[in-house]
Amino acid sequence: MRILSGVQSSGKLHIGNYYGAIRQFVQLQDEADQAYYFIANYHSLNEVRDPKRALELTRDAALSYLALGLDPKKAVLFRQSDVKEVLELNWILGVVTPVAHLERAHSYKDKVAQGKSPDFGLFAYPVLMAADILLYSADEVPVGKDQIQHIEFARDWAVKFNVQYVPGYDPADPEGKERGHAPGILKLPSARIQSTTQTVPGIDGRKMSKSYGNTLDLFGDEKELKKRVMSIKTDSTPVEAPKPVPGDKPSDASLASDVPLYDLLKVVLPESEFRDVETSWRAGGKGYGEYKKLLLEALHTTFGPARKRYAELSADPAELDRILQDGASRARAEASRLMDQVRKAVGIP
Ligand code: ADP
Ligand code: TRP
């Protein structure tokens, strides 16, 4: 089984990225036969238009991955832009991509609804993402819930490509197991979602996202982190009273959580500690301030070692370059094998 995933380098990583994505990456590098992880720095150009910042954020994402436990001996870690074949596959997939699919992409519609005037790059974002996945014949793609549609697109377009270009391909038998059938050139990927932490809420209760400015950053300034934790949105329940617990669904659909402090504690605290929190939360007697302090401490304990490692790695840029170059050459070998087949299939010399 081959796992592949990527994170955009469009801002500093936050705990939503960690619990929604990176934590799974680290676990899976041991479970999967092969793991490919990359920094989606072409995708990030949609948001980061300052070249210096684009370069910095790409390195920062690589550092963050490594500090959080990604092991370049177990997984292939690379920059999207180091494998130019992805742009070639992006184009070739584009010729079998219905515009109607792109028009109903949630990520695109959300950004437009937020008032962003769409450029082609934003519109075509899912095509490049599909190329990222299909180029390496990934079986499973660990991502947060918001990315499921993108993986479904990648499957759809892989089928379209195979139907168009692979003689004997039958979508009902994509691996060509039955007699007379041929396997697809592009392998169909599946999304892999971690169900307990599908959406980590930000300090305002909306989904934690760098575009909302409601994040708790993994490697940011200590003082800022404290300030953010202390400003997590709460109601005016008095100290003695039992605190409200989140319902099955937030009453307001734009929120990821009605009670973000509770849900953040649930995500960050070890299970046994959270059980104690839950008891006192329901009984009353503790104020929100105390719970916030508890969360801050838990963040320090959980991410302290990673912060230390991040500082060490930052001090050795040559080592990071070496790791990235090694990852790039391993990724390129795989990409070039697939692209040979793709070019031949479509008639590109
Ligand atoms: P952002 O929303 O901050 O721009 P990205 O879109 O770059 O984050 O997300 C990178 C990865 O982290 C994706 O796999 C995404 O699903 C996951 N992720 C981001 N925010 C959250 C969140 N609040 N909860 C769970 N997973 C998240
Ligand atoms: N769109 C993903 C995100 O917002 C990043 C990404 C780009 C990605 N290409 C990918 C994730 C391929 C998984 C596989 O986080």
Side-chain angles (χ1 to χ4, degrees), residues 36-37 72 75-85 136 321-337:
Y36 283 68
Y37 298 126
V76 181
L77 174 65
F78 64 104
R79 289 176 291 220
Q80 184 185 35
S81 62
D82 278 336
V83 186
K84 303 297 179 199
E85 282 87 347
Y136 304 99
D321 286 336
R322 201 191 53 70
I323 293 171
L324 290 175
Q325 269 154 28
D326 178 56
S329 75
R330 288 159 75 191
R332 235 178 263 132
E334 190 57 31
S336 101
R337 189 194 59 77

PDB file of all heavy atoms in Angstrom, residues 36-37 72 75-85 136 321-337:
ATOM      1  N   TYR A  36       4.687   8.843   0.795  1.00  0.00           N
ATOM      2  CA  TYR A  36       5.183  10.017   0.072  1.00  0.00           C
ATOM      3  C   TYR A  36       4.502  11.254   0.647  1.00  0.00           C
ATOM      4  O   TYR A  36       3.265  11.327   0.655  1.00  0.00           O
ATOM      5  CB  TYR A  36       4.811   9.929  -1.425  1.00  0.00           C
ATOM      6  CG  TYR A  36       5.661   8.984  -2.213  1.00  0.00           C
ATOM      7  CD1 TYR A  36       5.593   7.615  -2.003  1.00  0.00           C
ATOM      8  CD2 TYR A  36       6.545   9.474  -3.182  1.00  0.00           C
ATOM      9  CE1 TYR A  36       6.383   6.746  -2.729  1.00  0.00           C
ATOM     10  CE2 TYR A  36       7.335   8.611  -3.919  1.00  0.00           C
ATOM     11  CZ  TYR A  36       7.252   7.243  -3.682  1.00  0.00           C
ATOM     12  OH  TYR A  36       8.036   6.391  -4.409  1.00  0.00           O
ATOM     13  N   TYR A  37       5.287  12.197   1.110  1.00  0.00           N
ATOM     14  CA  TYR A  37       4.715  13.436   1.641  1.00  0.00           C
ATOM     15  C   TYR A  37       5.399  14.615   0.983  1.00  0.00           C
ATOM     16  O   TYR A  37       6.620  14.632   0.838  1.00  0.00           O
ATOM     17  CB  TYR A  37       4.921  13.512   3.154  1.00  0.00           C
ATOM     18  CG  TYR A  37       4.231  12.390   3.897  1.00  0.00           C
ATOM     19  CD1 TYR A  37       4.938  11.583   4.773  1.00  0.00           C
ATOM     20  CD2 TYR A  37       2.871  12.153   3.728  1.00  0.00           C
ATOM     21  CE1 TYR A  37       4.308  10.544   5.459  1.00  0.00           C
ATOM     22  CE2 TYR A  37       2.238  11.118   4.412  1.00  0.00           C
ATOM     23  CZ  TYR A  37       2.961  10.323   5.272  1.00  0.00           C
ATOM     24  OH  TYR A  37       2.343   9.310   5.944  1.00  0.00           O
ATOM     25  N   PRO A  72      12.750  10.968   7.274  1.00  0.00           N
ATOM     26  CA  PRO A  72      13.083  10.832   5.842  1.00  0.00           C
ATOM     27  C   PRO A  72      13.628   9.457   5.469  1.00  0.00           C
ATOM     28  O   PRO A  72      13.721   9.134   4.290  1.00  0.00           O
ATOM     29  CB  PRO A  72      14.124  11.934   5.593  1.00  0.00           C
ATOM     30  CG  PRO A  72      14.571  12.389   6.922  1.00  0.00           C
ATOM     31  CD  PRO A  72      13.555  11.985   7.937  1.00  0.00           C
ATOM     32  N   ALA A  75       9.931   7.788   5.070  1.00  0.00           N
ATOM     33  CA  ALA A  75       9.008   8.390   4.106  1.00  0.00           C
ATOM     34  C   ALA A  75       9.794   9.238   3.105  1.00  0.00           C
ATOM     35  O   ALA A  75      10.878   9.724   3.410  1.00  0.00           O
ATOM     36  CB  ALA A  75       8.007   9.262   4.840  1.00  0.00           C
ATOM     37  N   VAL A  76       9.222   9.400   1.938  1.00  0.00           N
ATOM     38  CA  VAL A  76       9.831  10.277   0.933  1.00  0.00           C
ATOM     39  C   VAL A  76       9.275  11.676   1.149  1.00  0.00           C
ATOM     40  O   VAL A  76       8.077  11.901   0.991  1.00  0.00           O
ATOM     41  CB  VAL A  76       9.488   9.793  -0.493  1.00  0.00           C
ATOM     42  CG1 VAL A  76      10.148  10.684  -1.534  1.00  0.00           C
ATOM     43  CG2 VAL A  76       9.892   8.339  -0.682  1.00  0.00           C
ATOM     44  N   LEU A  77      10.122  12.598   1.542  1.00  0.00           N
ATOM     45  CA  LEU A  77       9.680  13.978   1.794  1.00  0.00           C
ATOM     46  C   LEU A  77      10.237  14.866   0.684  1.00  0.00           C
ATOM     47  O   LEU A  77      11.440  14.891   0.451  1.00  0.00           O
ATOM     48  CB  LEU A  77      10.205  14.445   3.158  1.00  0.00           C
ATOM     49  CG  LEU A  77       9.942  15.915   3.499  1.00  0.00           C
ATOM     50  CD1 LEU A  77       8.454  16.192   3.651  1.00  0.00           C
ATOM     51  CD2 LEU A  77      10.672  16.317   4.785  1.00  0.00           C
ATOM     52  N   PHE A  78       9.355  15.577  -0.010  1.00  0.00           N
ATOM     53  CA  PHE A  78       9.845  16.397  -1.139  1.00  0.00           C
ATOM     54  C   PHE A  78       8.976  17.624  -1.370  1.00  0.00           C
ATOM     55  O   PHE A  78       7.877  17.742  -0.831  1.00  0.00           O
ATOM     56  CB  PHE A  78       9.936  15.543  -2.415  1.00  0.00           C
ATOM     57  CG  PHE A  78       8.609  15.013  -2.908  1.00  0.00           C
ATOM     58  CD1 PHE A  78       7.982  15.592  -4.008  1.00  0.00           C
ATOM     59  CD2 PHE A  78       7.984  13.937  -2.289  1.00  0.00           C
ATOM     60  CE1 PHE A  78       6.766  15.107  -4.479  1.00  0.00           C
ATOM     61  CE2 PHE A  78       6.761  13.450  -2.754  1.00  0.00           C
ATOM     62  CZ  PHE A  78       6.157  14.035  -3.852  1.00  0.00           C
ATOM     63  N   ARG A  79       9.515  18.529  -2.187  1.00  0.00           N
ATOM     64  CA  ARG A  79       8.757  19.709  -2.588  1.00  0.00           C
ATOM     65  C   ARG A  79       8.043  19.387  -3.894  1.00  0.00           C
ATOM     66  O   ARG A  79       8.661  18.857  -4.822  1.00  0.00           O
ATOM     67  CB  ARG A  79       9.698  20.896  -2.832  1.00  0.00           C
ATOM     68  CG  ARG A  79      10.308  21.471  -1.586  1.00  0.00           C
ATOM     69  CD  ARG A  79      11.298  22.578  -1.921  1.00  0.00           C
ATOM     70  NE  ARG A  79      12.478  22.031  -2.562  1.00  0.00           N
ATOM     71  CZ  ARG A  79      13.727  22.434  -2.331  1.00  0.00           C
ATOM     72  NH1 ARG A  79      13.970  23.418  -1.490  1.00  0.00           N
ATOM     73  NH2 ARG A  79      14.736  21.885  -2.965  1.00  0.00           N
ATOM     74  N   GLN A  80       6.789  19.755  -3.970  1.00  0.00           N
ATOM     75  CA  GLN A  80       6.008  19.543  -5.198  1.00  0.00           C
ATOM     76  C   GLN A  80       6.762  20.064  -6.424  1.00  0.00           C
ATOM     77  O   GLN A  80       6.819  19.421  -7.464  1.00  0.00           O
ATOM     78  CB  GLN A  80       4.682  20.292  -5.032  1.00  0.00           C
ATOM     79  CG  GLN A  80       3.674  20.146  -6.143  1.00  0.00           C
ATOM     80  CD  GLN A  80       2.466  21.048  -5.882  1.00  0.00           C
ATOM     81  OE1 GLN A  80       2.612  22.155  -5.336  1.00  0.00           O
ATOM     82  NE2 GLN A  80       1.286  20.579  -6.235  1.00  0.00           N
ATOM     83  N   SER A  81       7.385  21.236  -6.291  1.00  0.00           N
ATOM     84  CA  SER A  81       8.012  21.890  -7.439  1.00  0.00           C
ATOM     85  C   SER A  81       9.300  21.212  -7.890  1.00  0.00           C
ATOM     86  O   SER A  81       9.846  21.562  -8.932  1.00  0.00           O
ATOM     87  CB  SER A  81       8.301  23.354  -7.101  1.00  0.00           C
ATOM     88  OG  SER A  81       9.208  23.407  -6.011  1.00  0.00           O
ATOM     89  N   ASP A  82       9.798  20.263  -7.121  1.00  0.00           N
ATOM     90  CA  ASP A  82      11.009  19.560  -7.541  1.00  0.00           C
ATOM     91  C   ASP A  82      10.721  18.475  -8.564  1.00  0.00           C
ATOM     92  O   ASP A  82      11.643  17.874  -9.106  1.00  0.00           O
ATOM     93  CB  ASP A  82      11.727  18.943  -6.328  1.00  0.00           C
ATOM     94  CG  ASP A  82      12.595  19.975  -5.613  1.00  0.00           C
ATOM     95  OD1 ASP A  82      12.993  20.962  -6.269  1.00  0.00           O
ATOM     96  OD2 ASP A  82      12.851  19.808  -4.413  1.00  0.00           O
ATOM     97  N   VAL A  83       9.447  18.202  -8.802  1.00  0.00           N
ATOM     98  CA  VAL A  83       9.103  17.157  -9.775  1.00  0.00           C
ATOM     99  C   VAL A  83       8.220  17.800 -10.843  1.00  0.00           C
ATOM    100  O   VAL A  83       6.998  17.867 -10.719  1.00  0.00           O
ATOM    101  CB  VAL A  83       8.383  15.982  -9.083  1.00  0.00           C
ATOM    102  CG1 VAL A  83       8.171  14.837 -10.057  1.00  0.00           C
ATOM    103  CG2 VAL A  83       9.173  15.490  -7.871  1.00  0.00           C
ATOM    104  N   LYS A  84       8.860  18.291 -11.915  1.00  0.00           N
ATOM    105  CA  LYS A  84       8.121  19.088 -12.909  1.00  0.00           C
ATOM    106  C   LYS A  84       7.088  18.260 -13.669  1.00  0.00           C
ATOM    107  O   LYS A  84       6.173  18.818 -14.281  1.00  0.00           O
ATOM    108  CB  LYS A  84       9.088  19.723 -13.915  1.00  0.00           C
ATOM    109  CG  LYS A  84      10.172  20.594 -13.299  1.00  0.00           C
ATOM    110  CD  LYS A  84       9.620  21.809 -12.565  1.00  0.00           C
ATOM    111  CE  LYS A  84      10.749  22.628 -11.941  1.00  0.00           C
ATOM    112  NZ  LYS A  84      10.287  23.523 -10.875  1.00  0.00           N
ATOM    113  N   GLU A  85       7.240  16.951 -13.634  1.00  0.00           N
ATOM    114  CA  GLU A  85       6.264  16.085 -14.310  1.00  0.00           C
ATOM    115  C   GLU A  85       4.845  16.354 -13.827  1.00  0.00           C
ATOM    116  O   GLU A  85       3.886  16.102 -14.545  1.00  0.00           O
ATOM    117  CB  GLU A  85       6.591  14.600 -14.071  1.00  0.00           C
ATOM    118  CG  GLU A  85       7.718  14.054 -14.915  1.00  0.00           C
ATOM    119  CD  GLU A  85       9.096  14.283 -14.280  1.00  0.00           C
ATOM    120  OE1 GLU A  85       9.195  15.078 -13.312  1.00  0.00           O
ATOM    121  OE2 GLU A  85      10.060  13.686 -14.771  1.00  0.00           O
ATOM    122  N   TYR A 136       1.959   9.508  -8.526  1.00  0.00           N
ATOM    123  CA  TYR A 136       2.702   8.553  -7.702  1.00  0.00           C
ATOM    124  C   TYR A 136       1.888   7.280  -7.424  1.00  0.00           C
ATOM    125  O   TYR A 136       2.216   6.519  -6.531  1.00  0.00           O
ATOM    126  CB  TYR A 136       3.136   9.224  -6.391  1.00  0.00           C
ATOM    127  CG  TYR A 136       3.948  10.473  -6.653  1.00  0.00           C
ATOM    128  CD1 TYR A 136       3.367  11.731  -6.591  1.00  0.00           C
ATOM    129  CD2 TYR A 136       5.285  10.381  -7.044  1.00  0.00           C
ATOM    130  CE1 TYR A 136       4.099  12.877  -6.876  1.00  0.00           C
ATOM    131  CE2 TYR A 136       6.025  11.514  -7.333  1.00  0.00           C
ATOM    132  CZ  TYR A 136       5.425  12.761  -7.254  1.00  0.00           C
ATOM    133  OH  TYR A 136       6.150  13.881  -7.549  1.00  0.00           O
ATOM    134  N   ASP A 321      18.476  20.826   3.148  1.00  0.00           N
ATOM    135  CA  ASP A 321      18.648  20.742   1.691  1.00  0.00           C
ATOM    136  C   ASP A 321      18.929  19.312   1.255  1.00  0.00           C
ATOM    137  O   ASP A 321      18.394  18.831   0.264  1.00  0.00           O
ATOM    138  CB  ASP A 321      19.810  21.624   1.226  1.00  0.00           C
ATOM    139  CG  ASP A 321      19.442  23.106   1.273  1.00  0.00           C
ATOM    140  OD1 ASP A 321      18.232  23.403   1.215  1.00  0.00           O
ATOM    141  OD2 ASP A 321      20.351  23.944   1.387  1.00  0.00           O
ATOM    142  N   ARG A 322      19.778  18.665   2.025  1.00  0.00           N
ATOM    143  CA  ARG A 322      20.153  17.299   1.681  1.00  0.00           C
ATOM    144  C   ARG A 322      18.922  16.378   1.718  1.00  0.00           C
ATOM    145  O   ARG A 322      18.676  15.605   0.803  1.00  0.00           O
ATOM    146  CB  ARG A 322      21.225  16.803   2.660  1.00  0.00           C
ATOM    147  CG  ARG A 322      22.065  15.637   2.162  1.00  0.00           C
ATOM    148  CD  ARG A 322      22.906  15.029   3.278  1.00  0.00           C
ATOM    149  NE  ARG A 322      22.115  14.650   4.455  1.00  0.00           N
ATOM    150  CZ  ARG A 322      21.252  13.638   4.497  1.00  0.00           C
ATOM    151  NH1 ARG A 322      21.072  12.887   3.448  1.00  0.00           N
ATOM    152  NH2 ARG A 322      20.576  13.382   5.616  1.00  0.00           N
ATOM    153  N   ILE A 323      18.134  16.525   2.763  1.00  0.00           N
ATOM    154  CA  ILE A 323      16.930  15.693   2.908  1.00  0.00           C
ATOM    155  C   ILE A 323      15.965  15.939   1.737  1.00  0.00           C
ATOM    156  O   ILE A 323      15.423  15.007   1.145  1.00  0.00           O
ATOM    157  CB  ILE A 323      16.233  15.974   4.259  1.00  0.00           C
ATOM    158  CG1 ILE A 323      17.115  15.497   5.419  1.00  0.00           C
ATOM    159  CG2 ILE A 323      14.850  15.328   4.323  1.00  0.00           C
ATOM    160  CD1 ILE A 323      16.622  15.910   6.804  1.00  0.00           C
ATOM    161  N   LEU A 324      15.800  17.218   1.393  1.00  0.00           N
ATOM    162  CA  LEU A 324      14.842  17.541   0.324  1.00  0.00           C
ATOM    163  C   LEU A 324      15.330  17.054  -1.033  1.00  0.00           C
ATOM    164  O   LEU A 324      14.545  16.606  -1.872  1.00  0.00           O
ATOM    165  CB  LEU A 324      14.563  19.041   0.296  1.00  0.00           C
ATOM    166  CG  LEU A 324      13.757  19.566   1.487  1.00  0.00           C
ATOM    167  CD1 LEU A 324      13.642  21.087   1.434  1.00  0.00           C
ATOM    168  CD2 LEU A 324      12.362  18.933   1.519  1.00  0.00           C
ATOM    169  N   GLN A 325      16.641  17.145  -1.261  1.00  0.00           N
ATOM    170  CA  GLN A 325      17.159  16.679  -2.548  1.00  0.00           C
ATOM    171  C   GLN A 325      17.029  15.167  -2.681  1.00  0.00           C
ATOM    172  O   GLN A 325      16.677  14.655  -3.741  1.00  0.00           O
ATOM    173  CB  GLN A 325      18.611  17.105  -2.728  1.00  0.00           C
ATOM    174  CG  GLN A 325      18.675  18.464  -3.435  1.00  0.00           C
ATOM    175  CD  GLN A 325      19.939  19.216  -3.107  1.00  0.00           C
ATOM    176  OE1 GLN A 325      20.957  18.602  -2.817  1.00  0.00           O
ATOM    177  NE2 GLN A 325      19.857  20.544  -3.148  1.00  0.00           N
ATOM    178  N   ASP A 326      17.288  14.498  -1.603  1.00  0.00           N
ATOM    179  CA  ASP A 326      17.145  13.047  -1.621  1.00  0.00           C
ATOM    180  C   ASP A 326      15.685  12.662  -1.887  1.00  0.00           C
ATOM    181  O   ASP A 326      15.400  11.791  -2.722  1.00  0.00           O
ATOM    182  CB  ASP A 326      17.626  12.482  -0.271  1.00  0.00           C
ATOM    183  CG  ASP A 326      17.471  10.983  -0.206  1.00  0.00           C
ATOM    184  OD1 ASP A 326      18.027  10.306  -1.095  1.00  0.00           O
ATOM    185  OD2 ASP A 326      16.776  10.488   0.702  1.00  0.00           O
ATOM    186  N   GLY A 327      14.763  13.327  -1.207  1.00  0.00           N
ATOM    187  CA  GLY A 327      13.330  13.066  -1.414  1.00  0.00           C
ATOM    188  C   GLY A 327      12.937  13.331  -2.861  1.00  0.00           C
ATOM    189  O   GLY A 327      12.216  12.541  -3.479  1.00  0.00           O
ATOM    190  N   ALA A 328      13.441  14.446  -3.410  1.00  0.00           N
ATOM    191  CA  ALA A 328      13.085  14.822  -4.780  1.00  0.00           C
ATOM    192  C   ALA A 328      13.557  13.754  -5.765  1.00  0.00           C
ATOM    193  O   ALA A 328      12.825  13.393  -6.690  1.00  0.00           O
ATOM    194  CB  ALA A 328      13.695  16.176  -5.133  1.00  0.00           C
ATOM    195  N   SER A 329      14.754  13.226  -5.554  1.00  0.00           N
ATOM    196  CA  SER A 329      15.215  12.275  -6.563  1.00  0.00           C
ATOM    197  C   SER A 329      14.441  10.961  -6.472  1.00  0.00           C
ATOM    198  O   SER A 329      14.157  10.344  -7.501  1.00  0.00           O
ATOM    199  CB  SER A 329      16.745  12.096  -6.528  1.00  0.00           C
ATOM    200  OG  SER A 329      17.091  11.325  -5.424  1.00  0.00           O
ATOM    201  N   ARG A 330      14.020  10.587  -5.268  1.00  0.00           N
ATOM    202  CA  ARG A 330      13.197   9.377  -5.168  1.00  0.00           C
ATOM    203  C   ARG A 330      11.812   9.593  -5.784  1.00  0.00           C
ATOM    204  O   ARG A 330      11.274   8.712  -6.480  1.00  0.00           O
ATOM    205  CB  ARG A 330      13.070   8.947  -3.700  1.00  0.00           C
ATOM    206  CG  ARG A 330      14.393   8.371  -3.182  1.00  0.00           C
ATOM    207  CD  ARG A 330      14.492   8.413  -1.682  1.00  0.00           C
ATOM    208  NE  ARG A 330      13.673   7.405  -1.025  1.00  0.00           N
ATOM    209  CZ  ARG A 330      13.434   7.386   0.292  1.00  0.00           C
ATOM    210  NH1 ARG A 330      13.934   8.332   1.079  1.00  0.00           N
ATOM    211  NH2 ARG A 330      12.701   6.438   0.820  1.00  0.00           N
ATOM    212  N   ALA A 331      11.251  10.755  -5.548  1.00  0.00           N
ATOM    213  CA  ALA A 331       9.925  11.049  -6.108  1.00  0.00           C
ATOM    214  C   ALA A 331       9.998  11.127  -7.638  1.00  0.00           C
ATOM    215  O   ALA A 331       9.115  10.629  -8.345  1.00  0.00           O
ATOM    216  CB  ALA A 331       9.394  12.360  -5.528  1.00  0.00           C
ATOM    217  N   ARG A 332      11.060  11.737  -8.138  1.00  0.00           N
ATOM    218  CA  ARG A 332      11.209  11.918  -9.585  1.00  0.00           C
ATOM    219  C   ARG A 332      11.291  10.568 -10.314  1.00  0.00           C
ATOM    220  O   ARG A 332      10.751  10.410 -11.400  1.00  0.00           O
ATOM    221  CB  ARG A 332      12.477  12.725  -9.868  1.00  0.00           C
ATOM    222  CG  ARG A 332      12.211  13.958 -10.694  1.00  0.00           C
ATOM    223  CD  ARG A 332      13.502  14.718 -10.899  1.00  0.00           C
ATOM    224  NE  ARG A 332      13.665  15.806  -9.953  1.00  0.00           N
ATOM    225  CZ  ARG A 332      14.767  16.044  -9.253  1.00  0.00           C
ATOM    226  NH1 ARG A 332      15.838  15.258  -9.351  1.00  0.00           N
ATOM    227  NH2 ARG A 332      14.810  17.065  -8.423  1.00  0.00           N
ATOM    228  N   ALA A 333      11.972   9.625  -9.694  1.00  0.00           N
ATOM    229  CA  ALA A 333      12.120   8.309 -10.325  1.00  0.00           C
ATOM    230  C   ALA A 333      10.738   7.688 -10.549  1.00  0.00           C
ATOM    231  O   ALA A 333      10.442   7.148 -11.620  1.00  0.00           O
ATOM    232  CB  ALA A 333      12.971   7.410  -9.437  1.00  0.00           C
ATOM    233  N   GLU A 334       9.887   7.825  -9.545  1.00  0.00           N
ATOM    234  CA  GLU A 334       8.544   7.264  -9.628  1.00  0.00           C
ATOM    235  C   GLU A 334       7.712   8.016 -10.672  1.00  0.00           C
ATOM    236  O   GLU A 334       7.013   7.414 -11.494  1.00  0.00           O
ATOM    237  CB  GLU A 334       7.905   7.398  -8.240  1.00  0.00           C
ATOM    238  CG  GLU A 334       6.627   6.683  -8.046  1.00  0.00           C
ATOM    239  CD  GLU A 334       6.717   5.196  -8.316  1.00  0.00           C
ATOM    240  OE1 GLU A 334       7.795   4.609  -8.082  1.00  0.00           O
ATOM    241  OE2 GLU A 334       5.716   4.631  -8.796  1.00  0.00           O
ATOM    242  N   ALA A 335       7.816   9.343 -10.639  1.00  0.00           N
ATOM    243  CA  ALA A 335       7.034  10.174 -11.554  1.00  0.00           C
ATOM    244  C   ALA A 335       7.428   9.899 -13.005  1.00  0.00           C
ATOM    245  O   ALA A 335       6.580   9.853 -13.900  1.00  0.00           O
ATOM    246  CB  ALA A 335       7.259  11.645 -11.222  1.00  0.00           C
ATOM    247  N   SER A 336       8.703   9.713 -13.236  1.00  0.00           N
ATOM    248  CA  SER A 336       9.117   9.580 -14.625  1.00  0.00           C
ATOM    249  C   SER A 336       8.649   8.228 -15.182  1.00  0.00           C
ATOM    250  O   SER A 336       8.288   8.119 -16.348  1.00  0.00           O
ATOM    251  CB  SER A 336      10.622   9.842 -14.776  1.00  0.00           C
ATOM    252  OG  SER A 336      11.327   8.657 -14.876  1.00  0.00           O
ATOM    253  N   ARG A 337       8.592   7.222 -14.315  1.00  0.00           N
ATOM    254  CA  ARG A 337       8.073   5.917 -14.740  1.00  0.00           C
ATOM    255  C   ARG A 337       6.609   6.045 -15.192  1.00  0.00           C
ATOM    256  O   ARG A 337       6.228   5.578 -16.254  1.00  0.00           O
ATOM    257  CB  ARG A 337       8.174   4.939 -13.555  1.00  0.00           C
ATOM    258  CG  ARG A 337       7.895   3.496 -13.868  1.00  0.00           C
ATOM    259  CD  ARG A 337       7.682   2.670 -12.601  1.00  0.00           C
ATOM    260  NE  ARG A 337       6.573   3.154 -11.774  1.00  0.00           N
ATOM    261  CZ  ARG A 337       5.295   2.954 -12.040  1.00  0.00           C
ATOM    262  NH1 ARG A 337       4.937   2.276 -13.100  1.00  0.00           N
ATOM    263  NH2 ARG A 337       4.359   3.429 -11.245  1.00  0.00           N
TER     264      ARG A 337
END
